[in-house]
Amino acid sequence: MLKLKEYSTKPPEGADKTRLKAETKQYAKRIGALKDQLVAEGKHSLLVIFQGMDASGKDGAVKKVFRYCTHNNISVYSFKKPTEEEMRHDFLWRVHQQTPGKGEVKIFNRSHYEEVLIQRVHGWITEEEVDLRFDSINMFEKTLAYDANTLILKFYLHLSYEQQEV
């Protein structure tokens, strides 16, 4: 089992902040151009998932990475506590409603993984239910990838509390 506390949250040794900022700007411009091409073609969609603890930089990452994207056909959705209506459905019901259509980019600030992580941490579901939910998530993502031509990119932002303050 993967244990995040075993992984360093510090930048790689020798990382040049100025150079990395310049490279990020160039990549962000390229993402903007590719996003416009995806919209114009209308055959595929993109789902970008940012996961991480509170204050890990998800909002900042979204702003920096997608700052050169025009606002058409791109949106950000943040999953909050499920509503009463959402609780009356399966745990992926609300997620499916937020997935991108062809020619669209959707960014999840937090994600459907929360429906396993939070439930597990609080002991609200059994390990068997955890396994079933992970299986459901895998099938859900395969459906998006193969039936809906959706490219799914997942990023976990792993920052320590000390690094968050920097």
Side-chain angles (χ1 to χ4, degrees):
M1 177 182 277
L2 178 79
K3 298 196 183 296
L4 288 175
K5 65 182 175 183
E6 295 175 3
Y7 292 85
S8 175
T9 59
K10 296 179 181 175
E13 196 168 311
D16 180 339
K17 193 172 186 176
T18 303
R19 180 183 57 79
L20 291 172
K21 282 184 174 186
E23 286 179 12
T24 300
K25 183 176 182 178
Q26 292 306 310
Y27 286 128
K29 287 180 178 181
R30 178 74 175 131
I31 289 169
L34 290 170
K35 182 260 179 194
D36 289 342
Q37 184 178 344
L38 178 131
V39 171
E41 187 178 65
K43 293 181 181 178
H44 300 84
S45 58
L46 175 63
L47 174 59
V48 181
I49 301 169
F50 285 100
Q51 191 69 36
M53 295 176 10
D54 289 342
S56 62
K58 295 179 298 293
D59 290 323
V62 169
K63 288 176 187 170
K64 286 184 176 111
V65 171
F66 296 96
R67 67 182 166 202
Y68 295 105
C69 291
T70 56
H71 291 93
N72 64 319
N73 295 57
I74 186 170
S75 61
V76 178
Y77 187 82
S78 299
F79 289 95
K80 307 289 184 201
K81 180 181 175 182
T83 65
E84 285 185 32
E85 179 179 5
E86 291 167 341
M87 291 295 288
R88 289 193 299 267
H89 296 274
D90 69 89
F91 80 103
L92 289 173
W93 180 77
R94 69 185 185 142
V95 179
H96 201 104
Q97 294 178 69
Q98 297 302 324
T99 59
K102 289 182 175 66
E104 296 178 346
V105 174
K106 184 71 114 185
I107 302 161
F108 285 178
N109 183 337
R110 294 204 184 265
S111 72
H112 43 298
Y113 300 107
E114 294 283 315
E115 300 300 328
V116 179
L117 301 172
I118 299 300
Q119 305 286 328
R120 181 188 225 176
V121 166
H122 291 289
W124 297 334
I125 58 176
T126 66
E127 283 304 307
E128 183 179 349
E129 290 170 308
V130 167
D131 291 341
L132 289 171
R133 285 190 176 198
F134 279 136
D135 289 345
S136 294
I137 287 171
N138 288 334
M139 291 304 294
F140 172 71
E141 291 179 354
K142 283 180 183 178
T143 298
L144 290 178
Y146 298 110
D147 289 350
N149 288 331
T150 301
L151 175 63
I152 303 170
L153 302 176
K154 306 173 198 180
F155 300 92
Y156 183 82
L157 304 182
H158 182 47
L159 298 175
S160 66
Y161 293 119
E162 298 78 27
Q163 200 64 31
Q164 291 173 13
E165 293 175 1
V166 174

